[in-house]
Every structure is written in C-alpha cells, then in structure tokens.
Amino acid sequence: MTVWEAVAVVIAGVFAGGINTVVGSGTLVTFPVLLAVGYPPVVANVSNSLGLVPGSLSGAWGYREELKGQGDRVKRLLPASILGGIIGAILLVTLPAKAFTAIVPVLIVIALVLVVIQPWLNRKLSHRRSENDGGVLLWFGVFAAGIYGGYFGAAQGVLVMGIMGVLVSEHLQRMNALKNVLTAFVNLVAGVMFIFIADVAWLVVLLLAVGSVVGGQIGAKIGRKLPPAVLRGVIVVVGVAAIVQLLMK
C-alpha cells in the first residue's frame, strides 16, 4: 500500500464512521476503496468489519445522552445482535457470496419502506403495540439484522432503524443511539471471529480505526442535530445509494 493509498483508506474511514453514526452503510464507502487498492473481496470485507468497530463505538459514545433510560432495551436486544453477528460471520466464510447477497437489495428496500411509512404505522399501531416495547418480533428482527451485519454490514443500520421504527414507540434520535450500540457489537463480535477464521489485513484495520473514530464523533455532532424528518430523509438517500451500488456489482 502506497502512502496515498493509505491516506485514501483513512479518509474513507472518516466518512464511514460519520455515515455509520448518522444512519449506517459506511461500508459502501470503505469496501470499494479497499478493493481499489488491491485487496481481495473477502479480506477487504473482513478487515473492514474489524476496522470500523472503533468508529461504531465512538459514534455510540457521541450519542450517550440519547441512550439514557434505554438500559433495559440494550440488555434485552444486545444478545440478539451478538448472536446474529456470530452467525453472520460464520456464513461469510462458509457460504458462496451469491447465496446471501442476492437478497440484500430486497432487505434494504423493505427497510426503507419501513422508515418512510414509520410515522403512519406508528399512528395505526400505537393502540396495538404491546407494553414490552417490541416484544419477540423486535428481538428476532434485531437478530436477523445482526446476521446480515456479520456477513456484510452495508445498510445494517438502515435495516435496524426500519425494524425499530415500526415496532418501538420512541423518538428517532433515541432509536438511532440504540442502533449505534447494537451495530457496534455486531461488528465487534464478527471482527473478533474473523481474527481466528479468516485473513485480516492489519494495516487496513489500523487505518480504518483511526479514521472511523474521528468520523464517529463528527457524525454524532451532526446527526444529533438533525430533525426526525431530515434524518429519515438521510436514511432513505443512503439506502437507495446502497441498493444502486449493490445492483451494479
């Protein structure tokens, strides 16, 4: 890797850290960059997942005010994310890429639809929503998103936000804070597993970690100030970009 390629990786990490904190899909920035500098797809994917973990944790810390009072949710949903991340990491090294990525655009479209119609659904379902705040459906939805995140990760945040938006009666910014914690741990457990079961480019991990930590703080400062309607719009734009890029592969 040349000096300029290393700089490009760090800059991509900054953008990814910021995008992941605000909505998700930072992998759509870093993954193509890693391919462009010459890393094989699986090595790039594995190293990317591990390198963006510090950025996800940085973004979660930046949203710590919005996390207050959500301790019970974190305790309940974190095992779902962790278990999903482990399964997703195993799938990455055992299944052909086409076996899973064929449905990725469909999943993102579903998530975007959920994000867009969330206010309407919230009004329609508010009298039916159970007191356990999402219940079993939310747990399994987060679990499924964790599997996807452990496998690839792009638009994982969009999926989580879409699922929570329908099943949880909560301010969008507080859901975004919870999303940052859940996706951070998906990337963390998947990354730890990759150390033992796949090839890791450690220089890439270091460069992405440095960039994504900075980006996580920038993303938190920007994202926390966005009104719900604007944040929802950002989610849709990023999600559409994810679909376009995945379909063009």
Side-chain angles (χ1 to χ4, degrees):
M1 186 186 300
T2 67
V3 173
W4 289 113
E5 288 174 339
V7 170
V9 172
V10 172
I11 293 174
V14 173
F15 277 97
I19 293 171
N20 279 341
T21 301
V22 176
V23 54
S25 299
T27 291
L28 296 177
V29 176
T30 51
F31 188 67
V33 170
L34 296 181
L35 295 180
V37 299
Y39 288 95
V42 173
V43 174
N45 193 18
V46 165
S47 305
N48 178 75
S49 295
L50 196 56
L52 293 182
V53 169
S56 298
L57 295 174
S58 173
W61 175 254
Y63 266 86
R64 60 191 180 278
E65 288 297 319
E66 286 74 15
L67 280 171
K68 290 181 177 178
Q70 298 198 77
D72 289 341
R73 283 179 182 157
V74 172
K75 292 177 182 178
R76 179 160 53 90
L77 296 177
L78 201 54
S81 289
I82 291 173
L83 182 58
I86 292 172
I87 294 175
I90 294 173
L91 289 176
L92 177 63
V93 296
T94 56
L95 294 179
K98 291 183 180 179
F100 196 80
T101 56
I103 66 169
V104 167
V106 177
L107 292 176
I108 299 175
V109 168
I110 293 172
L112 291 180
V113 171
L114 293 177
V115 169
V116 171
I117 67 174
Q118 178 207 343
W120 177 81
L121 277 177
N122 279 345
R123 291 193 297 269
K124 293 293 183 181
L125 299 177
S126 59
H127 65 286
R128 300 180 184 178
R129 193 177 283 122
S130 61
E131 295 181 358
N132 59 2
D133 204 12
V136 175
L137 281 178
L138 179 61
W139 197 95
F140 278 102
V142 170
F143 169 67
I147 294 176
Y148 170 66
Y151 187 90
F152 182 49
Q156 177 190 181
V158 176
L159 288 173
V160 174
M161 290 294 285
I163 292 166
M164 291 195 300
V166 172
L167 297 175
V168 179
S169 180
E170 182 60 272
H171 192 280
L172 199 63
Q173 291 287 12
R174 285 174 59 80
M175 287 193 292
N176 201 31
L178 179 59
K179 176 267 297 178
N180 285 332
V181 174
L182 298 178
T183 56
F185 274 88
V186 169
N187 290 337
L188 178 60
V189 297
V192 170
M193 290 193 64
F194 290 148
I195 294 174
F196 299 101
I197 63 178
D199 294 327
V200 178
W202 288 105
L203 177 57
V204 168
V205 173
L206 176 61
L207 295 175
L208 288 179
V210 171
S212 65
V213 166
V214 175
Q217 290 301 301
I218 295 174
K221 290 184 181 298
I222 295 174
R224 294 178 67 226
K225 297 178 181 179
L226 294 178
V230 176
L231 180 57
R232 191 171 286 109
V234 172
I235 294 173
V236 172
V237 170
V238 172
V240 171
I243 295 169
V244 172
Q245 182 165 337
L246 289 168
L247 291 177
M248 292 177 63
K249 288 185 180 297

